[in-house]
């Protein structure tokens, strides 16, 4: 029995071909993400003290994730710290968009505490800045943590403008090369994705562009890097779009329903 166990252990060790896969990077990233959110929003959290802890945690993430990265990850903290007030300003605009757009919202505090869409946007914005710096792995782990909590999948590479509103959040997918301009509203189940999956499309614009003041209703699917939704347009629920839409357009899906009496 001992020999058999040793053989099994040997086989497992042989298959572990990636010596730099440190799973605690995931847990430390989640801790870092939570700490960032509390530092920016919790009125009972002391900012100065948390900034010191955030820096220490950031240095841990550098050691765990930058083992083969060419750029000096340890130099990123100061730049990232300088960006936090700007990110917070954008998030406060997002929260204001929520309170102005959702009649079910009873207070601004409710937006920050209870809305998964706002949380998903917050973690996206915090991760996007690190993505811009070229920090490996961590931005994606941050948004995947948010994805698990909210049901909203926003790639940290997406470019999203000011006053962004996500209602209900669940099932939303926003791809890596999506561009969303200002004052856009998106409802549950919306996909902003690629026409197809191919490794050759890496670093290519393969996801849609959404211009200013667009509203996209539930379960709409918009695909393709050349697809643009023109400003001031409304995309109705369950619509499938793979070509550009001009400004000031309303797109609707008409489903035929038949009513039959049983008696």
């Amino acid at each position: 029995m001992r020999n058999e166990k040793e053989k099994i252990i040997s086989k497992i060790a042989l298959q572990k071909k990636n010596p730099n896969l440190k799973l605690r990077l995931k847990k430390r990233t989640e801790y870092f993400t939570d700490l960032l959110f509390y530092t920016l929003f919790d009125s009972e959290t002391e900012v100065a003290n948390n900034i010191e802890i955030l820096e220490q945690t950031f240095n841990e993430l550098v050691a765990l994730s930058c083992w083969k990265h060419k750029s000096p990850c340890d130099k990123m903290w100061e730049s990232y710290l300088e960006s936090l007030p700007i990110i917070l300003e954008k998030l406060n605009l997002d929260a204001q968009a929520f309170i102005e757009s959702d009649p079910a919202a009873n207070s601004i505090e409710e937006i920050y505490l209870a809305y998964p869409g706002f949380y998903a946007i917050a973690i996206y914005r915090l991760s996007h800045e690190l993505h811009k710096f070229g920090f490996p792995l961590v931005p994606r782990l941050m948004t995947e943590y948010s994805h698990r909590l909210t049901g909203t999948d926003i790639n940290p590479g997406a470019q999203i403008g000011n006053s962004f509103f996500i209602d209900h959040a669940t099932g939303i997918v926003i791809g890596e090369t999506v561009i969303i301009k200002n004052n856009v509203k998106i409802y549950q189940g919306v996909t902003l994705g690629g026409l197809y999956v191919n490794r050759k499309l890496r670093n290519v614009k393969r996801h849609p562009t959404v211009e200013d003041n667009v509203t996209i209703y539930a379960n709409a699917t918009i695909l393709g890097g050349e697809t643009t939704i023109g400003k001031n347009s409304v995309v109705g629920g369950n619509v499938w779009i793979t070509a550009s839409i001009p400004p000031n357009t309303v797109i609707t899906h008409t489903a035929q329903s038949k009513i039959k009496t049983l008696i």
Side-chain angles (χ1 to χ4, degrees):
M1 182 65 184
R2 183 176 179 180
N3 288 337
E4 288 299 318
K5 186 183 292 185
E6 289 176 352
K7 288 179 181 179
I8 292 170
I9 292 170
S10 178
K11 287 179 180 179
I12 292 172
L14 187 63
Q15 291 298 320
K16 292 178 69 172
K17 296 178 180 178
N18 191 343
N20 291 296
L21 180 59
K22 300 179 177 70
L23 290 176
R24 62 190 168 96
L25 171 62
K26 184 176 182 179
K27 292 298 181 184
R28 295 308 287 167
T29 298
E30 292 172 3
Y31 171 75
F32 179 74
T33 303
D34 287 337
L35 201 61
L36 270 174
F37 194 84
Y38 271 76
T39 302
L40 293 180
F41 296 111
D42 180 37
S43 60
E44 296 179 337
T45 294
E46 184 184 346
V47 174
N49 183 59
N50 265 35
I51 291 297
E52 296 298 320
I53 302 171
L54 280 167
E55 182 175 5
Q56 294 169 14
T57 309
F58 188 87
N59 290 334
E60 286 184 55
L61 299 180
V62 167
L64 288 168
S65 66
C66 293
W67 51 273
K68 67 172 185 178
H69 203 59
K70 293 179 181 179
S71 63
C73 296
D74 56 336
K75 304 296 184 184
M76 292 181 187
W77 172 249
E78 289 184 7
S79 297
Y80 187 62
L81 183 60
E82 289 176 2
S83 73
L84 289 182
I86 300 170
I87 295 172
L88 181 56
E89 184 177 352
K90 288 184 176 183
L91 288 171
N92 287 334
L93 289 174
D94 295 325
Q96 191 61 38
F98 274 70
I99 202 73
E100 292 173 358
S101 300
D102 188 359
N106 297 305
S107 67
I108 194 71
E109 289 80 11
E110 185 177 359
I111 303 300
Y112 290 105
L113 291 170
Y115 274 60
F118 177 77
Y119 183 82
I121 294 169
I123 304 310
Y124 153 75
R125 293 205 187 279
L126 290 166
S127 66
H128 177 68
E129 199 66 25
L130 288 176
H131 180 274
K132 283 164 54 179
F133 294 151
F135 202 116
L137 267 175
V138 170
R140 186 60 185 272
L141 289 173
M142 291 173 70
T143 54
E144 283 305 314
Y145 178 47
S146 171
H147 181 195
R148 190 168 80 238
L149 294 174
T150 66
T152 298
D153 184 1
I154 308 177
N155 190 287
Q159 300 176 45
I160 300 177
N162 294 333
S163 301
F164 186 39
F165 171 66
I166 291 177
D167 199 19
H168 299 296
T170 307
I172 288 172
V173 177
I174 299 175
E176 180 186 22
T177 61
V178 164
I179 297 174
I180 296 174
K181 300 295 182 66
N182 300 320
N183 303 307
V184 170
K185 298 179 176 65
I186 291 181
Y187 289 77
Q188 69 272 15
V190 167
T191 296
L192 302 178
L195 278 168
Y196 58 93
V197 178
N198 190 317
R199 186 65 179 174
K200 292 179 181 179
L201 294 176
R202 180 173 170 79
N203 299 321
V204 172
K205 177 76 165 71
R206 58 192 185 277
H207 302 110
T209 296
V210 180
E211 298 286 354
D212 293 341
N213 308 314
V214 169
T215 298
I216 306 174
Y217 283 103
N219 300 313
T221 299
I222 305 172
L223 306 176
E226 296 183 2
T227 302
T228 297
I229 306 301
K231 63 181 181 179
N232 307 317
S233 292
V234 176
V235 178
N238 299 307
V239 168
W240 179 280
I241 297 174
T242 58
S244 293
I245 303 301
N248 308 302
T249 301
V250 177
I251 306 295
T252 59
H253 170 76
T254 302
Q256 185 176 9
S257 299
K258 293 182 179 181
I259 302 173
K260 182 179 179 181
T261 57
L262 297 177
I263 300 174

